[in-house]
Amino acid sequence: MPLVMGHSKRYFSPQSFINCAFYSAIACLYPFLNSQLSELGLSWTQCAWINSVSALVSMAGPLCLGPLAHKLSGYKQGLVASLLLAFISCTALLFVPSVISSEHTPKMYFDCSEGVFRVEQCPNWNGQCHIYPKRPATNFSSFELVTCSYVCPDDKTPVNSSWYPINVCFHNTNEHISNLCLDVPRERIISVDASSSPEASIQFDSRFDRWPVIDSTENGNIVDRMFDGLRTCTFKPAPPLIISAKLFGSIQCRPFVPNCNIYCSVNLRHRTNGPSGSGQTRVRPPTPCHLEQGNRQQTLHLYLLFRSLVDLSLLTGHTLIEAIRIAGTNDYDAFYGGIERFWTMALPFIVWPPFCGLLSDYFVQVNAPTFAPSVVIFDGFIAITIFLVIMLPLKSTQAKETSSSTLSLSGQKVVLQPTKFRYPRTHTNQYLFYRLALVMPLVLILGTLWGLTESLTRPFYRRALQSSNFQLGMGTCFTFLVTGPFALMAKSLITGIGRMHLILLAFVFYSLRSAGTSFLIGSGNVRRWLMLPFEMMGAFTLPLAWVGITSYGQHLIKRSPNGLSYASGTTIFQTYSPHVIMQYTLNLMHFGGGRALGAAFSNIWLTMWPDVYSHWLWLTNLNQTAIDNYALESITDEESAVRVLLRLVSLISLMFGTVFFVLYHSCCFNCFIPRHEKYQSPSNQDKATKKKKFMVDKNGQTYLKLKAKSENEVYPLKSKPDKNHGKTLMPPIGETTRSMVTLRDATNNGRELETSVDDYDDEFDHKI
């Protein structure tokens, strides 16, 4: 008789300690993985691309190692191998070189001697002087000449500007308007923060976007000195030049000193609505220079390699642990519920993320890698998990044959007893196919939403809100604080709400969470904590939704009261448990394929945003007037793209939730698809109930003869004689199928080792 590992009622079983150590390791790493990408200097687009590729690669682990471990009963070996790979690959993430990105305002000087305006040519401009320096100049720009001085090739004879006071003169070809010459104060400091300095002695407006680009090679030595040898973009001022409400055509400086040039530092600001003094202006700084130190492609590919190995090993370890747990019970409503599941899964995500975040923030102050504490603690828990897997007994998804009706289970005697639960299901194959066709796309879409939001929200918190690692950890902590009470009463939650309704509830909270996050602005310390309410909504988008997904998926399988008894022929027929297959499928679709699709969609959106932003401005909180006043870069940057995408996700999530809700409760489908088998009419069922008989063997054991379908009879369990007494322990009443027996603890007054998931299928079928 196959040995079925039952659901343990103990809160501290060997496997529970393994689970606690494993999920503690994930809790130390999970909240900070994507935020580390921003610390390495990678963009949001690259972050989404890495998440998509690593999710696809991670699916190979469960698909390859899972069946191999099941067939060879090598779950210990498979777990140890995946955990060792996680240890090595996660540690390698610490040695990925970072890309240090910095911004600065380009140097700007007005060469009065030649009458040209010179701007430092940034490396990221790619030589396009006619585009980048003029951004975002769409109207009049304000030029402030802050300080002017003589620059001569020969520093040995410097020219003292006090001897030759510098005047800036504006000339006009109109005879009725006289020229204007103004003195420039000496030794002034450029104000780079203010839009316009009220103390500046000379300020004029002009259409900088209309100034032509020219080639100027005169006085190359002086230019190299002023710009530290960097390349420059040279512009010729074009009229009108507006100062004191008068129009001028050109600008020059005096007095002239032989072999010397007069250079004036310029503070440039771009205006949105007309010239200065109009009363309705918005000033914007010029396009900054972006400098990078490091090889971006090398960082990208190294991180992608090690991140893919981390995701592969962790998803493989998670699915192997899930397979062992799913094979040891058939109470799938409480699979993630109860005290034992709380302290092994939810509690680590409550305790460790804030602690690791606090350590990471401390390491920032001492100029150490901020990601190091999370990785070190992760490696410690992985090492503890490996030790526990090797030393503690681990259940298997395979059953072992025995010829005795009295079996030994962990030192206890268990005997075969009759089952009180009915089997098989009365659902038709068409009805089950309809439900599977509904739930599988639903799981994939939920995984897509999860992958999209996870690849964007934490980098968004880091960059847009300037959130600390401790605040990111507290966000995860609050998510599972909300999850904990509901997980403790998971079975009651499913009974009250319904499996499908619990899943559909995730769409509502995805919508609320995405929309609320997109409106978070500011970097104040108080505003950073506003993310916590939206992180708490994450309890319904993943943990509690996963409770409903697992319960609903396992519920659709036609099975015996024992979780393994239907497929315990793995040793005999080399088949796999349908429950294990279902759990593998759900994990791969949600955490593998769904996550990859979501991250890929976000990558495509961020890449195409500069070209399609004009079609999605209706999702912003800007009217057309405000849009005209904003710089193009401020609308087409990645932060704006993420905000709009989150709002779009909110609408899509709400739409999908409504569609699936209607499909699930659709009267048309329920009318055309028969729900129950019609091989027995109600009158025949009443007669069959009256004809049920109990058959008793010589030892007083009672067996209930069930009305089984053909698929339940394909795996007969034949009774075998006892070699010691020469007697047949099980009476010759025909073949006993696996659905007809369940294990009870013979030493504990017949307490059941496992419970059934569907005691009230008919009564509560409208809730599944």
Side-chain angles (χ1 to χ4, degrees):
M1 176 60 61
L3 174 61
V4 182
M5 305 298 288
H7 175 70
S8 176
K9 300 297 182 180
R10 294 176 297 175
Y11 300 142
F12 302 100
S13 61
Q15 189 172 350
S16 65
F17 289 101
I18 296 175
N19 295 343
C20 182
F22 177 74
Y23 290 109
S24 294
I26 295 180
C28 295
L29 190 69
Y30 160 74
F32 311 105
L33 268 180
N34 289 327
S35 63
Q36 185 203 15
L37 291 171
S38 60
E39 297 175 4
L40 291 176
L42 300 179
S43 63
W44 260 319
T45 305
Q46 293 169 328
C47 174
W49 187 74
I50 288 175
N51 276 273
S52 179
V53 175
S54 63
L56 286 176
V57 174
S58 66
M59 297 175 65
L63 288 175
C64 298
L65 191 58
L68 186 64
H70 182 88
K71 185 175 182 179
L72 302 178
S73 294
Y75 275 85
K76 276 197 172 187
Q77 295 85 340
L79 269 175
V80 171
S82 62
L83 293 175
L84 283 175
L85 180 61
F87 184 96
I88 297 173
S89 56
C90 186
T91 305
L93 290 177
L94 289 177
F95 300 95
V96 176
S98 61
V99 178
I100 302 176
S101 300
S102 59
E103 293 184 356
H104 72 275
T105 302
K107 295 181 178 180
M108 301 179 185
Y109 291 99
F110 193 84
D111 188 346
C112 284
S113 300
E114 298 185 13
V116 295
F117 179 55
R118 302 183 188 275
V119 181
E120 173 190 348
Q121 186 179 144
C122 301
N124 60 301
W125 291 357
N126 299 322
Q128 298 180 352
C129 293
H130 61 290
I131 297 178
Y132 287 95
K134 296 183 178 182
R135 288 181 178 176
T138 57
N139 207 324
F140 281 86
S141 300
S142 173
F143 295 82
E144 298 181 32
L145 303 184
V146 183
T147 181
C148 296
S149 59
Y150 290 99
V151 180
C152 304
D154 188 4
D155 290 337
K156 297 180 180 179
T157 58
V159 178
N160 193 335
S161 57
S162 61
W163 302 342
Y164 304 94
I166 299 175
N167 296 325
V168 177
C169 299
F170 294 85
H171 302 279
N172 199 307
T173 57
N174 192 339
E175 298 179 355
H176 300 285
I177 301 177
S178 60
N179 296 333
L180 178 65
C181 294
L182 302 175
D183 295 333
V184 179
R186 295 174 287 108
E187 299 178 359
R188 289 289 306 277
I189 301 176
I190 298 178
S191 175
V192 297
D193 297 328
S195 61
S196 61
S197 175
E199 300 178 358
S201 59
I202 300 177
Q203 176 178 324
F204 66 93
D205 291 346
S206 181
R207 290 296 300 265
F208 181 49
D209 56 328
R210 298 178 182 177
W211 288 16
V213 180
I214 63 173
D215 294 330
S216 177
T217 57
E218 298 182 8
N219 297 323
N221 294 333
I222 296 178
V223 175
D224 291 341
R225 286 175 52 194
M226 296 302 297
F227 291 92
D228 300 327
L230 299 175
R231 301 179 63 182
T232 61
C233 296
T234 307
F235 301 89
K236 184 68 175 179
L241 306 177
I242 304 176
I243 183 172
S244 301
K246 297 180 181 180
L247 302 179
F248 298 92
S250 62
I251 181 174
Q252 289 183 352
C253 297
R254 65 182 188 184
F256 173 75
V257 176
N259 299 325
C260 294
N261 284 21
I262 299 176
Y263 272 78
C264 298
S265 300
V266 178
N267 188 8
L268 177 63
R269 290 294 183 268
H270 303 294
R271 300 181 180 275
T272 56
N273 291 330
S276 60
S278 62
Q280 295 180 350
T281 59
R282 180 183 178 89
V283 293
R284 303 188 297 261
T287 302
C289 289
H290 296 275
L291 301 180
E292 290 186 356
Q293 297 179 2
N295 191 330
R296 179 174 291 272
Q297 293 300 319
Q298 180 186 21
T299 300
L300 175 65
H301 292 110
L302 283 177
Y303 188 88
L304 175 62
L305 172 63
F306 297 130
R307 175 66 181 274
S308 299
L309 294 177
V310 170
D311 290 349
L312 182 145
S313 56
L314 292 181
L315 184 59
T316 303
H318 169 71
T319 51
L320 290 178
I321 290 177
E322 292 257 296
I324 298 173
R325 291 174 54 198
I326 207 74
T329 184
N330 64 356
D331 192 0
Y332 303 109
D333 285 347
F335 183 65
Y336 289 101
I339 297 178
E340 191 265 342
R341 299 294 185 256
F342 173 79
W343 78 266
T344 58
M345 298 188 68
L347 190 61
F349 285 90
I350 296 174
V351 175
W352 295 114
F355 178 73
C356 294
L358 196 62
L359 287 180
S360 298
D361 291 336
Y362 171 76
F363 272 65
V364 172
Q365 300 176 1
V366 296
N367 297 324
T370 59
F371 198 58
S374 298
V375 173
V376 171
I377 299 176
F378 170 86
D379 289 343
F381 277 116
I382 289 295
I384 294 174
T385 308
I386 294 175
F387 175 79
L388 293 177
V389 170
I390 295 175
M391 301 303 297
L392 296 179
L394 196 62
K395 298 178 182 179
S396 173
T397 59
Q398 287 192 353
K400 299 180 180 180
E401 289 286 334
T402 179
S403 60
S404 175
S405 61
T406 302
L407 306 176
S408 176
L409 179 64
S410 300
Q412 299 181 356
K413 296 295 182 179
V414 291
V415 295
L416 298 177
Q417 294 291 339
T419 179
K420 66 178 181 180
F421 306 117
R422 56 191 175 277
Y423 179 86
R425 298 276 180 94
T426 59
H427 293 163
T428 62
N429 292 331
Q430 295 89 341
Y431 180 80
L432 294 178
F433 178 79
Y434 161 57
R435 292 302 184 186
L436 282 173
L438 179 67
V439 74
M440 290 304 173
L442 185 137
V443 173
L444 185 64
I445 293 173
L446 283 176
T448 302
L449 293 175
W450 179 74
L452 190 149
T453 54
E454 285 301 314
S455 63
L456 296 179
T457 51
R458 284 179 173 79
F460 177 80
Y461 294 150
R462 171 70 74 184
R463 298 186 184 183
L465 303 182
Q466 301 296 319
S467 298
S468 63
N469 291 314
F470 175 70
Q471 290 169 328
L472 295 179
M474 287 300 297
T476 304
C477 172
F478 272 73
T479 298
F480 283 87
L481 275 176
V482 177
T483 305
F486 291 102
L488 288 174
M489 54 179 183
K491 197 162 187 176
S492 300
L493 184 68
I494 291 176
T495 303
I497 298 179
R499 300 180 182 92
M500 183 57 70
H501 292 161
L502 189 60
I503 300 173
L504 295 177
L505 197 62
F507 286 100
V508 178
F509 281 95
Y510 267 122
S511 179
L512 294 174
R513 183 190 181 196
S514 300
T517 302
S518 68
F519 287 98
L520 294 177
I521 58 175
S523 58
N525 192 35
V526 177
R527 291 182 177 181
R528 294 171 187 169
W529 292 102
L530 293 178
M531 70 175 186
L532 290 182
F534 304 108
E535 286 297 295
M536 293 168 68
M537 295 180 185
F540 293 91
T541 59
L542 179 61
L544 296 179
W546 191 247
V547 172
I549 290 172
T550 301
S551 178
Y552 193 88
Q554 299 295 341
H555 166 78
L556 294 179
I557 298 176
K558 290 188 175 183
R559 61 186 179 277
S560 69
N562 302 108
L564 269 181
S565 58
Y566 183 78
S568 57
T570 51
T571 306
I572 307 173
F573 305 103
Q574 294 300 317
T575 58
Y576 299 102
S577 166
H579 304 286
V580 175
I581 294 176
M582 174 61 74
Q583 196 67 12
Y584 268 89
T585 303
L586 295 176
N587 277 282
L588 290 174
M589 292 188 67
H590 189 278
F591 298 106
R595 177 186 161 213
L597 286 176
F601 180 79
S602 61
N603 174 266
I604 295 173
W605 175 272
L606 293 172
T607 303
M608 298 179 59
W609 175 248
D611 300 324
V612 301
Y613 77 93
S614 58
H615 302 289
W616 299 97
L617 291 178
W618 57 276
L619 282 174
T620 64
N621 55 347
L622 302 174
N623 53 32
Q624 190 61 41
T625 303
I627 291 174
D628 294 337
N629 292 339
Y630 271 82
L632 181 64
E633 287 76 11
S634 64
I635 299 177
T636 60
D637 63 352
E638 290 184 328
E639 180 180 335
S640 300
V642 170
R643 291 183 184 275
V644 175
L645 179 57
L646 290 175
R647 294 168 191 175
L648 180 62
V649 167
S650 176
L651 297 177
I652 294 176
S653 176
L654 200 59
M655 179 187 68
F656 273 117
T658 304
V659 170
F660 280 109
F661 181 83
V662 172
L663 288 178
Y664 180 72
H665 292 282
S666 176
C667 298
C668 299
F669 284 102
N670 291 332
C671 292
F672 289 106
I673 299 177
R675 185 165 190 167
H676 298 283
E677 296 283 3
K678 298 182 178 180
Y679 64 90
Q680 271 190 327
S681 62
S683 58
N684 292 334
Q685 290 182 359
D686 294 337
K687 295 178 181 179
T689 302
K690 296 179 181 179
K691 292 182 179 180
K692 284 183 179 180
K693 298 181 180 180
F694 291 92
M695 306 189 70
V696 183
D697 64 356
K698 296 180 181 180
N699 297 324
Q701 292 179 327
T702 305
Y703 293 88
L704 177 63
K705 186 176 181 181
L706 300 176
K707 186 68 178 178
K709 291 176 63 179
S710 59
E711 65 263 28
N712 188 40
E713 298 173 347
V714 296
Y715 301 124
L717 302 180
K718 297 182 180 180
S719 58
K720 297 183 180 181
D722 192 331
K723 297 181 180 180
N724 297 330
H725 300 84
K727 298 180 180 180
T728 301
L729 297 178
M730 299 178 65
I733 59 175
E735 296 176 341
T736 305
T737 61
R738 292 194 176 100
S739 65
M740 296 174 61
V741 293
T742 186
L743 291 180
R744 293 174 181 269
D745 187 354
T747 62
N748 195 10
N749 299 325
R751 179 177 59 85
E752 295 181 13
L753 292 176
E754 53 185 350
T755 57
S756 175
V757 67
D758 297 312
D759 296 342
Y760 307 102
D761 272 347
D762 296 336
E763 292 82 348
F764 295 97
D765 217 14
H766 66 283
K767 295 183 179 181
I768 62 174

